[in-house]
């Protein structure tokens, strides 16, 4: 054999200056120390006596004691420590509470495991027994669990205690007497919703599509209220003629559109050649006929409230006001979906062939002043709870 042949040459790896090249046991210990440092940062925010943290990210200042918020603002570069940010975000997404607790639990478990790593115990052995311990812990918690009948007074009182406990570390903790019953009523109203409409694999995330929280500047915290079995959204941009509209209806029919109800110029350059001035007038008349046909179809459908995701112009606003209807354009997609779920209305992309089957209804609709904002409120919706 030719010993001076063409053997494999060793590869060259170029790393950035300051890169940590440690591996094995020293790297494991370094990872644990980094995670403990992050856990110690949020440790003092836990519990009713927890302190707020002031975090400046270079653009704005945030004051909070919420674990998920603080973890997002911390600029953590260490890859192992970033896993704590991920578990905090996961806890916030799935449960909505306990974001600080999961970080502290993870940090404490790593602190207890650090001596075993230093003594040379293999990580796979540690993980195997951690999984066994987690099964025992879940079984123990299941055995300790006490069931309650949520329809009984005792069950409702326990739900109020759970809601109050979750609010202890929040800024509104001094208003638990107002918000705890409000939270319980909102969630209990979802019990009547068919299970087919709530994804059990993502119940917390899907619940947010049924329960909306609107933040309103001005006024007082004690002015907060719950629209049970209904929907509320902020008054949208309006044109002249809006104030002439009827602002309160009983048992109205509701029409939801994804149609633009205003005259618009051509979005693309269009060239029309004419030989007679009357031909130009016929083009203008055709545009007016199109918009008036759309408005006539909405009125003939029997709807008293017309909501659209796209703009509703000044012509349509005055047209509906003269006929005793209420309209709103540029309504957010999430609000329209909640209105559709609560009232039973179906979103329409055209004004042709409108019939009673696509219209929704509610007990009472009114425009209400809340703080510095005006809100459109749909109450006593018969189809589905929101």
């Amino acid at each position: 054999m030719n010993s001076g042949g063409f053997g494999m040459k060793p590869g060259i790896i170029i790393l950035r200056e300051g890169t940590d090249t440690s591996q094995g046991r020293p790297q494991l210990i370094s990872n644990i120390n980094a995670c403990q440092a992050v856990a110690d940062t949020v440790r003092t925010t836990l519990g009713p006596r927890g302190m707020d943290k002031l975090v400046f990210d270079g653009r704005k200042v945030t004051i909070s004691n919420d674990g998920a918020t603080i973890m997002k603002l911390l600029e953590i570069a260490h890859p192992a420590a970033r896993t704590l940010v991920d578990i905090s975000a996961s806890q916030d997404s799935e449960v909505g509470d306990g974001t600080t607790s999961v970080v502290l639990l993870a940090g404490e478990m790593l602190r207890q495991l650090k001596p075993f790593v230093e003594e040379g115990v293999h990580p796979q052995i540690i993980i195997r027994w951690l999984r066994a311990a987690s099964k025992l812990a879940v079984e123990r918690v299941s055995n300790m669990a006490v069931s309650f009948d949520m329809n009984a007074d005792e069950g409702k009182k326990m739900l109020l205690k759970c809601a109050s406990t979750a609010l202890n570390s929040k800024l509104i903790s001094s208003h638990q007497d107002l918000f705890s019953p409000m939270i319980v009523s909102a969630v209990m109203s979802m019990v009547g919703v068919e299970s087919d409409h709530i994804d059990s694999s993502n119940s917390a995330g899907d619940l947010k599509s049924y329960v909306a929280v609107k933040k309103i500047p001005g006024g007082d915290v004690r002015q907060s209220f719950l629209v049970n079995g209904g929907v509320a959204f902020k008054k949208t941009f309006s044109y002249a003629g809006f104030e002439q509209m009827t602002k309160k209806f009983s048992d109205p029919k509701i029409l939801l559109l994804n149609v633009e109800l205003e005259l618009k110029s051509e979005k693309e350059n269009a060239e029309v050649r004419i030989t007679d001035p009357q031909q130009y007038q016929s083009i203008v008349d055709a545009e007016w006929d199109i918009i008036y046909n759309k408005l006539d179809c909405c009125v003939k459908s029997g709807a008293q409230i017309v909501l659209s995701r796209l703009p509703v112009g000044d012509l349509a606003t005055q047209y509906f006001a003269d006929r005793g209807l209420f309209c709103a354009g540029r309504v957010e997609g999430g609000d329209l979906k909640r209105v559709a779920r609560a009232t039973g209305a179906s979103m329409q992309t055209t004004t042709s062939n409108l019939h009673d089957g696509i219209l929704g209804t509610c007990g009472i609709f009114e425009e209400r002043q809340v703080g510095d904002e005006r809100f459109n409120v749909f109450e006593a919706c018969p189809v589905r709870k929101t």
Side-chain angles (χ1 to χ4, degrees), residues 178-382:
L178 172 66
F179 288 102
S180 294
M182 192 183 299
I183 294 167
V184 173
S185 298
V187 175
M188 287 297 292
S189 67
M190 296 295 102
V191 175
V193 178
E194 296 88 341
S195 60
D196 295 339
H197 297 284
I198 293 184
D199 182 9
S200 59
S201 64
N202 188 23
S203 57
D206 197 61
L207 189 63
K208 292 179 182 178
S209 64
Y210 284 85
V211 180
V213 180
K214 302 296 183 181
K215 301 174 184 178
I216 308 169
D220 184 75
V221 176
R222 306 292 300 186
Q223 290 180 301
S224 303
F225 63 95
L226 172 68
V227 183
N228 202 352
V231 185
F233 59 87
K234 189 167 66 173
K235 171 183 169 291
T236 58
F237 177 82
S238 59
Y239 290 93
F242 179 82
E243 298 302 336
Q244 301 175 24
M245 287 185 177
T246 306
K247 303 297 178 63
K248 187 172 183 178
F249 293 94
S250 295
D251 299 320
K253 292 185 177 180
I254 302 167
L255 174 62
L256 304 182
L257 297 174
N258 192 15
V259 179
E260 199 171 38
L261 298 178
E262 70 173 348
L263 289 171
K264 297 286 285 185
S265 60
E266 293 294 335
K267 295 182 179 179
E268 297 180 358
N269 293 331
E271 182 179 342
V272 180
R273 296 188 179 186
I274 59 176
T275 57
D276 191 323
Q278 293 299 325
Q279 294 177 345
Y280 174 76
Q281 186 61 40
S282 65
I283 295 172
V284 175
D285 292 341
E287 292 179 343
W288 283 90
D289 289 341
I290 291 172
I291 183 69
Y292 274 118
N293 286 336
K294 289 181 179 180
L295 300 179
D296 287 338
C297 290
C298 294
V299 174
K300 290 178 182 178
S301 69
Q304 295 160 293
I305 299 173
V306 180
L307 305 178
S308 179
R309 188 172 184 175
L310 298 177
V312 176
D314 52 353
L315 172 66
T317 302
Q318 190 64 54
Y319 187 92
F320 289 137
D322 293 341
R323 288 156 181 78
L325 276 70
F326 177 89
C327 70
R330 295 188 176 94
V331 182
E332 292 185 6
D335 291 328
L336 273 183
K337 288 180 181 179
R338 276 185 284 273
V339 172
R341 285 172 174 169
T343 64
S346 300
M347 183 78 71
Q348 301 298 306
T349 57
T350 178
T351 56
S352 302
N353 302 321
L354 299 179
H355 53 86
D356 288 342
I358 55 94
L359 300 179
T361 186
C362 67
I364 297 174
F365 166 80
E366 66 173 332
E367 185 180 274
R368 189 181 302 174
Q369 184 76 28
V370 183
D372 294 341
E373 303 287 351
R374 288 156 67 179
F375 269 69
N376 300 319
V377 182
F378 301 78
E379 293 183 304
C381 297

